[in-house]
Every structure is written in structure tokens, then in C-alpha cells.
Amino acid sequence: MSSFSGLARATDPIDQNKATAMENVKIAAEKVQVFYGETHAIKDVSIDIRARTVTAFIGPSGCGKSTFLRCLNRMNDTIDICRVEGRIAIDNEDIYDPKVDPVQLRAKVGMVFQKPNPFPKSIYDNIAYGPRIHGLVRRKSELDDIVASSLQKAGLWEEVKDRLDSPGTGLSGGQQQRLCIARAIAVSPEVILMDEPCSALDPIATAKVEELIDELRENYTIVIVTHSMQQAARVSQRTAFFHLGNLVEVGDTQDIFTNPVDKRTQDYITGRFG
Amino acid sequence: MALSLLLLCLLALSALAYVLARGKAFKSAGGDIRLLHSLPGYYGWNGALTVALPSLVVLVLWLGIQPAVIDNSVASMISDHAAGESNVGLVMSDVRRIADGLDLAVESGAMTEDYAGSIHADLTDVRGRLGSLGVALGSEVTQEKMRAAQAYRSMTATGNWMRTGVVLLLAFVGLAISYRRADKDFRARNFVEQVVKGILISAALIAILTTVGIVFSLIFNTVEFFKLYPATDFFFGTTWTPSFGGGSDLGILPLMWATLYISFIALAVAVPVGLFAAIYLSEYAGSTVRSVAKPLLEVLAGIPTIVYGLFALLTVGPLLVEAFGEGGILGLGWMKGGTAVMTAGLVMGIMLIPFVSSLSDDIINAVPQAMRDGSLGLGATHSETVKQVILPAALPGIVGAILLAASRAIGETMIVVLGAGAAARLSLNPFDAMTTVTAKIVSQLTGDADFASPEALVAFALGMTLFVITLGLNIFALYIVRKYREQYD
Amino acid sequence: MTDTSLAPASSTPGSRSRSLLELDPHTKKRNAAEARFRVYGIVAIGIGLFFLVALLYSILSNGLTAFYQTSVTLEVPLVQTEIDAAEKSVVKTSKYRDMIAAVLVQKMEQAGVATSMKSKELLQILSAGAPGTLRDHVLSHPEQIGTTATFDFLASSRVDGYLKGRVTRAALAEDKNLSAAHLDIIDQLVEKGIVEKGFNWNFIFGSDASDSRPEQAGIGVSMIGSLFMMLVVLVLSLPIGVAASIYLEEFAPKNRWTDLIEVNISNLAAVPSIVFGILGLSAFIQFAHLPQSAPLVGGLVLTLMTLPTIIISTRASLKSVPPSIRDAALGIGASKMQSVFHHVLPLAMPGILTGTIIGLAQALGETAPLLLIGMVGFIASEFPDGVFDGFLAPNSAMPAQIYEWAKRADPAFYERAWGGIIILLVFLMIMNIVAIILRRRFERRW
């Protein structure tokens, strides 16, 4: 257990014991099954995701990597026919426990989507939205600070500091995506999930976002779903390969790409399918 | 030749042209269909259309123009003296009726054609003779009217003969042309398709014509009205007391006030209910609830307004009186009769609920899912997402929907005719009976007033005002909604 | 690996890290707001559905009684001399009335119902139209003269209302036609089976009656009026609407003109119906001198009103045919016109028909324009003779007839109005169901 969990539980001896036992695991998934109506979309996936690491999920389209990602902050709850079984724990707390409020969970586990989706509001309001709804600030000056620091962390500050009042939808695609990342950071999550964050961006914007991901790794646990194996190799330290709803292989990125264990992983990274 | 017979002739000629042209084209290709430019049927249609179209167009024009021309020239025969006692229009309708009577008399064999043409009103009791045939004539038949009627008849007869001649001539010319053109190299398909396209265009133009018709019928009579009644008194007058004897006060303000008051109450009912229903249906409801509740709500939209009118008059009105009337349950004594602004507004609100909800539903659904995901992904609750992301994003569309609903409310007729009352009044009490623009259009035009009095003509000015207001609202609302749609397309 | 870095990350202000399993107070508040919001939605839908139920309840509870009518069964001997005398008198029905009165008195004596009332007073329990019914029967069945014929004479509307619970004894104190004594007689006659309620075919198929005889009023004639109007609407609006849609959707170039037409159509769809009434009045009646109150004129006005609806729905169904179908036809050398008429139009037909039926249903219930072209304010009592008359002779239409009844003074007509609404709604329901079936049965998803 990392010290993300703060002082509240640092005094808890049991927790500390567990934390040392689990080393550095932020998210632990055990035997997760996901069903869309009759379709069995995720089969028996168990994976540990380490804190302050970039973990990449790769695999051919439709393999379930995005679905699994959306389980991690219970975004699948918004889909009526979706059903999740198994256990997913963050900091050793089952996030599907009935006592858990998905709203609180999502404040802790932020998400960035495939297509940049800024709200049709000003840049400032886009960032301020999260802190406002979660009641994180008491004064306007605090909010200003959060907005500024989030934009700085997302590397967007210099580009937009003079036009915080202009609409977020007026930015370029890459800027919009970084705005969405800044928006996610503003609620100070511990985990950031990214669902193919660069698939709608051009190469230059992609490079900027990747650079940003690398910087964010210092403070956040990042899980990124990507189509591009190069991107996985560039930004991640750990890689998980999904195929047809199964987690085929997970390991250090270098190992996966140079020395895959499973035949399917090898076929995929050498371009036989996908 | 009678009109129906003429039409039959045209039909027969067209059929003939079809057969002839098709046959000739076929023969020119030596019976080999592959050598024809177009399928044989197209040559046939080419023939039929060449015969029928020009002659039909001329026929229709003729039917429209001939009565006007004849009316004009007959009207010029009537001296000012005769017209002086009433107006030319009335004399002309007498003349037409005499002429019709003579036609009938000739047809039934009571008069010979010659006799009808030379009959002298001063010497014969024309009125009595026509009366015995079932043609009732209002005023005495003077010799002048008789002469005019006879002229009318003879001109009509000549006109009809010329009409038959011209139309048939055109048909035969068409037949000849199409027959000559029917050759294997003639591009019959292209020609037929051009004609069909022309027909399609004219169908589309009917929409424009309707608007032009509305505008003209309103403007023409409104101008007549303003000649008789000053426009400033109409637009700024605060009393509405029409009396068909003359000396009416025809100020639109009390009517406008009631119209807006009722519309306001209707929207106050329909907008919150409709909007929340739409939000619940599109954001929260499961598919079963949605599939049941949505069509049920839409039933309210399919019910004719006369039903709502009756509901207001006979159910809601009495209920409201029981609650708010004198000696009512609440003991307030605010309401004197069942018909009131509140009655009409409430019922109109019910009518508008599905209108607001289905429009808003469409608009809320048009907000991209990515917006919801973005907000939910930040840990917003569903209601926060709706209130702070979806509604602001959908706001222009929803405003458009509300404006459309307002335009509906302002133009609604049956509910206010039956539910709002008949007295024009400028009052703040929503339980008072008042009357609206639409209700007065109905009452001023269903009376037996002739179209010359300001009391009847005022309806057109009211209609014009109504049309301008609703048109403005509609154009503005449709513009907003369209812009909104484009934003997310 | 940076995994080893354990520096605290929560440096941003306001960050709280606590167990997910505990709900913090702020979240509790937010969840309460969420629940409230959801309740608002449910309440809104509840209100909407409540109004629907209230509306249907008041229609059915007030209207269903119109389908039953009280009648008095009497056997009237048809005597040649009496009939001859009646036909010679000036007011012909008065003698017939006497005949009926005699029979009624006799019948009551037989049944043992005693009364001190004079026969004329007694006759108030029968419809004022009863003598007319008798006379019509005699004139159309002269062969029955000399026999005794059985009649079900309509009871007067007050009696009918009493048996239906609409008229109370207390209310009769003010009434000059009927007294509580009449009601005592009625109660006894009901017991003897002389006065009975039966299904009111006359209401569905009969004609309207004058102000004083609500018990005779029926909606049949105005139904015919509506039918002729709908024929006009169908025959004109379907072809014109489809032609206009085809042009706008398939052929029209994108320019100012077609933009104007489009804006025009969507605006026409939202113009208040009363304005179409004004148009009808001045264009068709004032200008073109078409006859007032004629179903033809009503049909023309409703056509203009329905056209935008039909055009909008037809264009939607043309649009839903995928472009690949057009390309396929054009690709094998069909002309644009052929591709439209051979492929696109047949595929769009179910949608077009659905839209047309819904447009017709709207037109069927429309009232306001009909008021202006004079389809109210008279008693539509005669069926048109022949098709020509059906289009041109003055007639009412169902919604106009309902309005007419709602405006009359006698509350007995309200029951008729509600009953008329039931019939109107049945027609609308059938049309909508047909449209839904068409849609379900033929709808294609591409």
C-alpha cells in the first residue's frame, strides 16, 4: 500500500501489514467477469496494477480492454445491460461493495476518453467543474489555484492562460485532450484511466500527450488502453495483452515486447493479426 | 360542350396519342426494341402528355379567368343608379342568380332558349316564373338586371364554346406534334422525365402558394379593415365591445392580454412537467418504463383539441369552481363561472406536456454520450451531469422547443373558445373569464355579418396579428433548433 | 522503476483520501439531491399520466351513456280514418300526437299505473319527435294501415336523463316540462317493462336534431361529412405531398429557392390552424365562390393544413432509404427518375403511408378551421343524396358537430358531445393502430 491513502490509515496496523505484503499494488482484480446481456465480454481476468506506474492494455479491437478499463471506475454502471462479477479492489477495498458510492470512487479514479470531450463551457469552467461538484474548495482563490495547477500539470497553462474564459470546444484536438486530462487531474484522483487517449489526435499532439503521461506517472497510477503497440512501448512500464475477453499475458513492457511467453502475444506484436 | 364531356374528350385523345406515338416509334425501329432510344412506353407517354398537359393548363386558366372577365364587362353594363341602392357585388350576385335561373328554366323545358334570351322583365313576372322552378330571387327583377343577366348568359355561352374550341385545338396540335416526333431516335424518356420533374416542382410550389395565399387573404382584408377603423385604435385600444349596429370599440389589447396570460399559465404547467418527464425518460428510465410511459404521454398529443375544449368546459371548469368559486371548498370565492383564464390555461398546459416533452427528449438525446461520460467519469452524480452539463448544452434547443410550444399556445383555438369565456377584460385575476384573439376570430366570422363591416373585418386584422406573432416565434425557434442540431452533427 | 518513489502525491488543496467504504457527508448530500431529482422526474411523469387518465375517465364516464337511450314501447293501432283525418289537418303531427296519447293512457291503465294527469301533460315523457316518427312510419308503410304496429318511441331527454342519473328530482322543481309526478309514473313503467333502455343505434347512424330534441340527435350525418372531407384530403394531399417531397429530397438543387421552400414548409406546419380557416374563408369562399359549409371546402382547407405534415414525414422516409440503393440503380444505367420511381419510392412507401395516415388522423380531429368555413351553426339533419351532394351540400363534420352540441343550451347535448368524442377517438385510434402496424410490419432497418 502506498502512502496515497494518507494519514487516516497509516496508523492502522492491519492495513500496513497488508500493504507490505502486497508491495505496491494499487488495483487488484480477481476473476473478473463482465457480461453485456448474453455476451460474455470479459472472462476470468485477474491482474495487479502497480501504483505510480503506467500500465498499458493492448490487444485487437473488441478484445475487451476498454470494457475492463471501464470496470475500474464503474463507468459500466451507466450501461443497463452490463453486469460485473468477481472482485476489483483499489487500496484493498472492493469497489463493487454495495457500500461504495460510484461517485466517490470516480473522484478517486479519474478517466480520460478516446475522443476529447470538453464540456461546452469555458476552459476555466471545464477544469473547475470537478472541484465544484465534489465540494473541494471553499473560496474562489482556491479554485483559481486548482485550475492553474491542473493546467500547468497538463502542460496547457502557457497556451491558454490568457483565454480561460473562451470555450473549451474552441481548442485544437490535442489541446482539448490535454484539457480533459487537466480536468481529470483537478479532482486530484489517485488513478487516471485513459481510453485510447490519442486515437483521435495527430502525431504531434500525440507526442505531447505521451510526454504528459510520462510526467504524470510520478504522482498518479495510470492505466492506458491503446491500439498502438509503439505507444504502449513508449509510455508504459507494464503491459497487459487482452485477446477475445481473456487476459493473455501481463508483465514488464520490455519483456512483453521482446520476449513474449504466449504464442498469441507473439503473433499480435509481430503483426500477424490485429 | 359540357366540362365533363370536354375532359372525357381530352382523356380519349391522350389515350389515342399514347397508342399512336408508341406504335409509330416501334415501327420506325422496325419492331426491334433495341434500336429505340427509350422504352416504347415513354414514346406513348410523350404523346399522351403532349396532348393533355397544354390543353389542361389552358383549360384551368380559362376556368379561372373567364368568370372574372365576364363579371367585369357585365358589371360595367350596370348603371351607377342601379348600383347606388346597394353595392355592385350584390347586384352582380342577383344577376348571376337570374342567369342561373334562366339556365335551369331552359334545361327543364319551361322556356325555350330564344325566349330566355329575349324575355323582358317589365312585361313578364320573371320572379314568379323562376320561383315556380325553385329559384328564389331576393329582390325585384328590373329590366336592367334582366338585360345584364341575358348578356351574362350569352357571354358565358360564347366563352364556353371558345373554350372548347381552343382546348380541343391544342389537344389536336399536341397529337400531331407528338406523332411526328415519335421516331426511334427521339429522346422520349428525357422529355417525359422533364415533364414529370416539372410536375414535381409545381407540387413543391404549392407550399409557397399556401403561404402566399395566407398572406394575401390576411393583408387584403386587413387593409380593408384599417380603411374603416383606425389602426392606432386597433393596436392600442383597451376596450373590446363590438356591436354589429356600428360604433364598436375594437381594441386588441384586452384580447392580447388574455392570450398571453393563458399561454403563460399553459407554459407554467407544461414546461416543468414536460421537461422533467423528458429528463426522466431519457436519462433515468429503464427501457420498459420508457416504452410504456412515452407512448402513453404521446397519446395526449394525439387527442384533438376539441376534446380538450370540452374537458375544460365540462370537467375542469366546474371542478375549479368547486375549489375556488363562491361557496367552494377553499371558501375563496375567486371564481364566478367555469370558464376562466385558469381553466383554459390549465387544460392547454396538459395538451402541451407531450409537445414539450417529446421535443426536449429529442434535444436531450442529441447531446453526445461523450458529454455524459466525461461528467460521470469525473465523479459527478447523474443529476449533476444533467443539471450542469446536459441542460446547459441542450439549452438553446430547449428554448426553441418552449418557443414552439408558446406559439402553439397562442394560436390554440378550441380550448379558449370553449374554456376561457366570451367577455374581453383586462384583469389580473386568473379566475376571471376573458377572451382571446383566436376566440374572437371565430366569433366575429361565424356571425352573419357581411364582409364589409369593420366588426367582421376585424377578424382578419386579428388573424394577421396572430400570424405575424406565431410566424416570428416559429422562425426564431426553428432557427435556434437548427443551429443547435448543427452543433452536434 | 519509479515504483519506489513514495512521496505523497496529494499536494493539491482540498484533496481528501479516505476509505471508499465510508460515505463522506458531502457525498451523502449529493446523493440526496440525486434522489430528489429523480423523484421530480417520476412526479412529472405521474402528473402527465394522471391527466391522461382523468381525461379518459371523464370522456368515458360522461360519454358512454350516449350509447344507451330510453324508449317507451307502445302498440299503436293504425286506423285508416284517423290517419286520413290527420293528413288533412294543417298541423299534421298534432293528430298523430293524439293517437299516441290515447295509446299511452290506455297502456297505463292496463298496466295499473294510476295518474290524474291529462294526456297532454302525460305526453311530456315522450320525445317531441314521437308523432313525426309515427307519421313517417305510416307514410312509408301504407300496407300496415289497419293493423296494430309496435313502436319504441324515444322518451324525452329529461326522462332519459333521470334514468341515467343525470336529472335529479330536485332539479326538476325548476322544470316546466316535467314534474316529480312524471318520474313516479316512469318508475312504475320501468317496473312493468314498458320503459326500457336500449342500445342507441340512432346516435351512431342518425342525424342531428333540433335544440328541443336532444334525444333524437345522432352523429351519422356529420360522420359522412367527415368521410367526404377525408376523401378530399387523401386524394389531394397524398399525391401532392409525395411529389413535393420527391422533388425536394431527390432533385432539388441546394439553393436559396429550395431553402425558402423548406423553411416555408416547416413554418406552415406550425401556423395555427385557425389561420388556415381564414385562408379557406377568403380564398375558397370569398374569392372562388365555392359553397359555404361544403365538405369539399373543408377538405381543401384541411389538405393545405395536412400537406406540411405529410411532406415532412415523406421526406424522412425517403431519406432513410440508403444512398447505396440509388447508386446501384444509377450504376446499371437507370436515369435518376427511374431510380427514384422504381427503387426509392417503393422502399419508402410504408413510411409514407404511415405518415399520411397520421396526417389524416390529425385532420379528422381538427375543428377550428371548420368553424370559419361555416360547418357549424346549423342542424346537419339530412344525409347527402349522392356523391356530388356529399362534396358540395352543406354538412357538418364530427368535431364540428361535437362543438355544436357543446354550445347548445340543453345539458342533454353534453352527453351527446362526449359520446361523439368517443366515436371520434375510436376512429383516431383505429387509424393510429393501422399506422403502427404498417410501421412494425414493413419497417426496414438498414
Side-chain angles (χ1 to χ4, degrees):
Chain A
M1 171 79 51
S2 77
S3 57
F4 274 113
S5 36
L7 298 171
R9 276 175 308 151
T11 50
D12 186 339
I14 307 166
D15 240 11
Q16 263 184 336
N17 286 346
K18 261 194 189 159
T20 41
M22 289 169 65
E23 290 175 43
N24 187 11
V25 173
K26 184 72 180 169
I27 305 173
E30 281 165 46
K31 304 208 166 181
V32 175
Q33 323 274 349
V34 179
F35 301 88
Y36 280 114
E38 294 298 302
T39 324
H40 196 168
I42 296 284
K43 296 160 195 160
D44 226 12
V45 170
S46 299
I47 186 174
D48 286 344
I49 292 168
R50 292 183 193 165
R52 274 179 263 177
T53 310
V54 178
T55 306
F57 291 176
I58 60 169
S61 12
C63 68
K65 52 193 194 298
S66 285
T67 304
F68 185 68
L69 186 78
R70 289 168 71 93
C71 291
L72 299 182
N73 71 344
R74 295 185 54 177
M75 277 301 278
N76 282 333
D77 287 16
T78 59
I79 300 163
D80 287 336
I81 54 165
C82 184
R83 195 154 49 82
V84 179
E85 289 171 10
R87 183 173 191 272
I88 300 176
I90 293 183
D91 295 339
N92 205 26
E93 290 175 329
D94 184 359
I95 63 169
Y96 280 89
D97 189 293
K99 275 186 279 181
V100 171
D101 192 316
V103 166
Q104 248 174 308
L105 169 69
R106 288 177 200 146
K108 193 166 175 171
V109 184
M111 189 159 187
V112 174
F113 298 85
Q114 193 167 357
K115 236 180 96 195
N117 56 353
F119 302 131
K121 300 167 180 270
S122 72
I123 294 173
Y124 184 94
D125 285 337
N126 260 286
I127 309 287
Y129 177 71
R132 275 188 187 136
I133 54 170
H134 290 295
L136 298 185
V137 286
R138 271 175 212 90
R139 279 183 302 281
K140 173 86 165 72
S141 59
E142 281 179 23
L143 193 58
D144 291 347
D145 288 346
I146 293 185
V147 170
S149 69
S150 306
L151 284 171
Q152 274 157 2
K153 281 187 205 156
L156 198 60
W157 179 247
E158 288 304 319
E159 289 159 65
V160 301
K161 64 180 179 194
D162 298 328
R163 46 175 175 141
L164 290 176
D165 288 332
S166 56
T169 43
L171 297 173
S172 74
Q175 287 174 324
Q176 284 190 12
Q177 194 61 299
R178 280 181 286 149
L179 178 68
C180 292
I181 294 174
R183 189 173 68 184
I185 294 171
V187 271
S188 42
E190 296 163 22
V191 181
I192 301 176
L193 309 176
M194 299 188 177
D195 189 357
E196 302 190 30
C198 300
S199 66
L201 304 183
D202 63 59
I204 295 172
T206 302
K208 281 203 169 161
V209 171
E210 285 178 2
E211 211 175 295
L212 172 60
I213 292 171
D214 204 50
E215 283 166 21
L216 292 175
R217 171 160 67 94
E218 274 183 42
N219 293 324
Y220 304 92
T221 305
I222 293 174
V223 185
I224 176 170
V225 163
T226 175
H227 237 79
S228 137
M229 283 174 283
Q230 290 83 348
Q231 188 172 54
R234 282 196 300 264
V235 300
S236 72
Q237 289 77 50
R238 304 267 298 166
T239 295
F241 173 65
F242 285 77
H243 184 236
L244 297 177
N246 296 302
L247 174 62
V248 176
E249 194 171 348
V250 57
D252 285 350
T253 301
Q254 249 179 342
D255 294 344
I256 294 273
F257 278 96
T258 51
N259 195 9
V261 178
D262 197 280
K263 172 84 168 52
R264 285 170 292 177
T265 318
Q266 198 177 1
D267 286 351
Y268 181 69
I269 60 176
T270 52
R272 285 236 189 108
F273 67 89
Chain B
M1 195 187 285
L3 199 56
S4 48
L5 195 58
L6 183 59
L7 283 174
L8 271 181
C9 274
L10 280 184
L11 196 67
L13 278 175
S14 306
L16 181 70
Y18 183 94
V19 175
L20 286 181
R22 190 179 184 277
K24 185 180 167 226
F26 209 57
K27 215 194 261 165
S28 75
D32 187 349
I33 192 170
R34 284 170 300 176
L35 294 179
L36 285 172
H37 170 270
S38 314
L39 289 170
Y42 281 110
Y43 291 94
W45 278 114
N46 171 40
L49 287 171
T50 324
V51 169
L53 264 191
S55 43
L56 274 180
V57 169
V58 167
L59 179 59
V60 168
L61 287 180
W62 198 292
L63 285 175
I65 293 169
Q66 175 180 310
V69 170
I70 292 179
D71 264 20
N72 253 332
S73 69
V74 172
S76 69
M77 288 173 65
I78 296 168
S79 65
D80 288 340
H81 162 70
E85 45 188 76
S86 51
N87 63 18
V88 181
L90 285 180
V91 176
M92 275 311 294
S93 70
D94 262 4
V95 168
R96 268 195 295 270
R97 199 168 305 161
I98 297 170
D100 286 349
L102 292 177
D103 281 345
L104 197 72
V106 172
E107 207 176 292
S108 62
M111 291 182 193
T112 61
E113 183 60 54
D114 288 345
Y115 183 70
S118 60
I119 192 170
H120 201 285
D122 294 345
L123 305 179
T124 325
D125 177 18
V126 180
R127 193 173 173 195
R129 290 196 59 173
L130 289 181
S132 68
L133 287 164
V135 182
L137 293 178
S139 58
E140 199 47 55
V141 181
T142 61
Q143 174 57 15
E144 193 169 11
K145 282 187 198 165
M146 194 66 211
R147 272 213 349 264
Q150 282 158 351
Y152 184 88
R153 286 193 69 224
S154 73
M155 283 165 87
T156 309
T158 324
N160 286 356
W161 273 112
M162 277 166 65
R163 179 183 76 197
T164 309
V166 169
V167 167
L168 283 184
L169 183 70
L170 267 176
F172 277 110
V173 171
L175 181 65
I177 291 178
S178 66
Y179 184 73
R180 234 173 51 114
R181 272 202 308 206
D183 179 76
K184 68 179 165 57
D185 292 326
F186 177 60
R187 303 189 166 194
R189 199 201 69 233
N190 305 36
F191 178 79
V192 170
E193 289 187 350
Q194 280 306 312
V195 172
V196 171
K197 196 167 164 186
I199 294 174
L200 297 184
I201 292 177
S202 32
L205 283 180
I206 287 190
I208 297 262
L209 271 182
T210 309
T211 310
V212 171
I214 289 176
V215 170
F216 267 92
S217 63
L218 288 173
I219 286 184
F220 182 73
N221 288 299
T222 305
V223 167
E224 286 294 300
F225 170 68
F226 285 142
K227 277 185 201 157
L228 299 169
Y229 192 89
T232 44
D233 288 4
F234 172 71
F235 285 116
F236 302 108
T238 53
T239 47
W240 173 272
T241 46
S243 70
F244 282 104
S248 323
D249 281 326
L250 301 170
I252 195 176
L253 287 182
L255 307 183
M256 215 57 230
W257 164 247
T259 304
L260 295 178
Y261 204 171
I262 290 174
S263 307
F264 174 76
I265 292 175
L267 290 180
V269 172
V271 170
V273 174
L275 198 54
F276 272 110
I279 290 171
Y280 187 81
L281 286 177
S282 60
E283 296 291 329
Y284 287 99
S287 54
T288 28
V289 174
R290 197 179 154 84
S291 67
V292 173
K294 203 168 145 66
L296 277 181
L297 278 184
E298 274 162 13
V299 168
L300 282 175
I303 290 176
T305 53
I306 176 76
V307 180
Y308 285 105
L310 212 62
F311 186 58
L313 177 70
L314 299 180
T315 308
V316 176
L319 277 178
L320 285 178
V321 170
E322 262 178 45
F324 298 100
E326 278 174 43
I329 299 167
L330 303 178
L332 295 168
W334 286 345
M335 206 167 169
K336 297 199 177 54
T339 54
V341 167
M342 189 51 109
T343 313
L346 202 60
V347 173
M348 203 188 281
I350 298 174
M351 181 191 81
L352 290 178
I353 289 174
F355 190 75
V356 173
S357 83
S358 66
L359 273 177
S360 317
D361 196 34
D362 288 352
I363 285 157
I364 290 172
N365 281 330
V367 176
Q369 184 60 31
M371 290 290 148
R372 290 180 185 84
D373 283 349
S375 176
L376 294 173
L378 284 172
T381 63
H382 212 135
S383 64
E384 286 161 353
T385 305
V386 169
K387 279 187 281 193
Q388 300 186 30
V389 175
I390 296 178
L391 286 186
L395 193 64
I398 289 174
V399 169
I402 292 173
L403 288 181
L404 282 180
S407 131
R408 268 262 171 122
I410 291 173
E412 172 50 42
T413 310
M414 295 319 295
I415 294 176
V416 292
V417 165
L418 289 170
R425 185 177 287 145
L426 272 169
S427 155
L428 276 175
N429 181 0
F431 296 100
D432 269 344
M434 294 185 215
T435 193
T436 67
V437 174
T438 47
K440 282 299 125 180
I441 294 178
V442 171
S443 68
Q444 298 311 104
L445 284 181
T446 43
D448 277 334
D450 61 296
F451 283 157
S453 72
E455 286 75 22
L457 284 172
V458 70
F460 292 96
L462 292 175
M464 187 84 205
T465 317
L466 179 70
F467 181 70
V468 169
I469 292 176
T470 52
L471 189 72
L473 275 177
N474 292 340
I475 290 183
F476 186 50
L478 290 173
Y479 172 78
I480 292 181
V481 172
R482 201 192 246 199
K483 272 273 165 277
Y484 168 76
R485 289 266 154 78
E486 280 166 7
Q487 185 188 335
Y488 291 118
D489 271 350
Chain C
M1 285 295 234
T2 44
D3 289 2
T4 49
S5 145
L6 288 170
S10 34
S11 55
T12 38
S15 156
R16 296 155 305 170
S17 237
R18 59 173 79 193
S19 167
L20 286 172
L21 298 172
E22 304 162 21
L23 224 51
D24 68 64
H26 184 67
T27 312
K28 269 187 199 150
K29 245 196 255 164
R30 290 169 63 198
N31 284 344
E34 169 76 19
R36 276 199 305 279
F37 194 71
R38 186 186 276 260
V39 168
Y40 295 153
I42 294 174
V43 168
I45 291 187
I47 291 176
L49 295 182
F50 166 76
F51 282 139
L52 177 65
V53 171
L55 185 60
L56 292 181
Y57 173 77
S58 91
I59 292 171
L60 291 178
S61 66
N62 291 309
L64 279 179
T65 53
F67 292 89
Y68 286 88
Q69 195 69 36
T70 312
S71 60
V72 182
T73 312
L74 294 176
E75 294 85 23
V76 184
L78 305 174
V79 184
Q80 184 73 54
T81 51
E82 282 181 18
I83 289 164
D84 287 346
E87 286 298 316
K88 272 188 203 119
S89 69
V90 185
V91 185
K92 296 188 171 74
T93 47
S94 74
K95 296 276 180 198
Y96 288 101
R97 186 179 305 130
D98 295 344
M99 286 158 65
I100 296 173
V103 176
L104 180 61
V105 169
Q106 191 192 348
K107 181 109 185 177
M108 278 172 56
E109 272 169 15
Q110 278 171 11
V113 180
T115 175
S116 57
M117 253 183 253
K118 291 209 189 79
S119 64
K120 190 171 177 211
E121 216 177 322
L122 206 52
L123 266 186
Q124 297 290 354
I125 64 173
L126 286 186
S127 162
T133 314
L134 176 60
R135 178 168 183 252
D136 288 346
H137 181 86
V138 170
L139 294 187
S140 56
H141 300 93
E143 75 281 357
Q144 285 185 7
I145 293 175
T147 62
T148 298
T150 307
F151 289 90
D152 286 334
F153 290 117
L154 290 174
S156 76
S157 68
R158 296 292 194 293
V159 171
D160 185 49
Y162 170 64
L163 291 180
K164 286 172 182 169
R166 187 180 66 233
V167 176
T168 59
R169 279 166 188 267
L172 280 181
E174 308 272 300
D175 199 306
K176 59 182 191 302
N177 293 324
L178 211 64
S179 62
H182 282 108
L183 298 185
D184 295 334
I185 297 171
I186 294 297
D187 284 340
Q188 295 177 50
L189 289 179
V190 170
E191 257 172 52
K192 308 277 182 214
I194 297 170
V195 171
E196 274 176 331
K197 273 200 276 184
F199 191 78
N200 193 358
W201 289 110
N202 181 57
F203 175 62
I204 303 176
F205 298 110
S207 58
D208 193 13
S210 74
D211 263 3
S212 57
R213 287 176 291 163
E215 65 277 359
Q216 274 191 323
I219 202 169
V221 171
S222 42
M223 223 189 271
I224 300 289
S226 277
L227 173 74
F228 278 102
M229 271 186 355
M230 288 306 114
L231 282 179
V232 175
V233 176
L234 181 66
V235 165
L236 289 180
S237 66
L238 182 59
I240 295 178
V242 171
S245 315
I246 289 179
Y247 175 70
L248 292 175
E249 199 56 45
E250 305 284 339
F251 293 99
K254 272 267 151 233
N255 60 23
R256 278 219 190 130
W257 259 104
T258 47
D259 260 6
L260 180 69
I261 297 182
E262 291 201 18
V263 171
N264 207 324
I265 288 171
S266 40
N267 275 315
L268 274 184
V271 166
S273 56
I274 186 93
V275 172
F276 282 96
I278 297 182
L279 169 69
L281 179 65
S282 43
F284 298 130
I285 293 175
Q286 214 183 358
F287 181 71
H289 295 293
L290 290 173
Q292 256 199 330
S293 318
L296 174 68
V297 179
L300 287 175
V301 173
L302 293 180
T303 300
L304 294 182
M305 250 189 67
T306 319
L307 259 182
T309 320
I310 292 188
I311 292 179
I312 289 169
S313 70
T314 303
R315 290 189 63 183
S317 30
L318 287 175
K319 211 177 268 171
S320 72
V321 177
S324 59
I325 301 278
R326 296 173 181 83
D327 293 345
L330 295 177
I332 51 171
S335 70
K336 179 87 185 149
M337 195 68 77
Q338 285 169 328
S339 84
V340 170
F341 279 91
H342 296 171
H343 300 282
V344 180
L345 194 56
L347 288 172
M349 218 51 205
I352 295 174
L353 289 182
T354 310
T356 307
I357 293 173
I358 288 172
L360 279 184
Q362 258 174 31
L364 183 62
E366 192 54 60
T367 323
L370 305 185
L371 305 187
L372 292 195
I373 56 164
M375 296 189 85
V376 289
F378 63 95
I379 295 159
S381 56
E382 279 174 47
F383 283 97
D385 7 314
V387 176
F388 193 68
D389 230 22
F391 286 115
L392 290 174
N395 200 339
S396 189
M398 276 194 280
Q401 181 73 71
I402 292 167
Y403 170 76
E404 179 69 26
W405 283 334
K407 287 297 246 191
R408 287 192 189 160
D410 192 335
F413 278 109
Y414 293 162
E415 173 198 89
R416 305 276 145 168
W418 288 113
I421 282 177
I422 293 179
I423 294 181
L424 179 63
L425 288 185
V426 166
F427 276 107
L428 293 184
M429 213 168 69
I430 292 172
M431 291 167 90
N432 278 292
I433 287 174
V434 168
I436 291 171
I437 290 174
L438 259 181
R439 189 181 297 159
R440 291 260 165 87
R441 177 94 174 67
F442 295 103
E443 190 179 49
R444 244 176 252 257
R445 296 209 173 270
W446 302 95

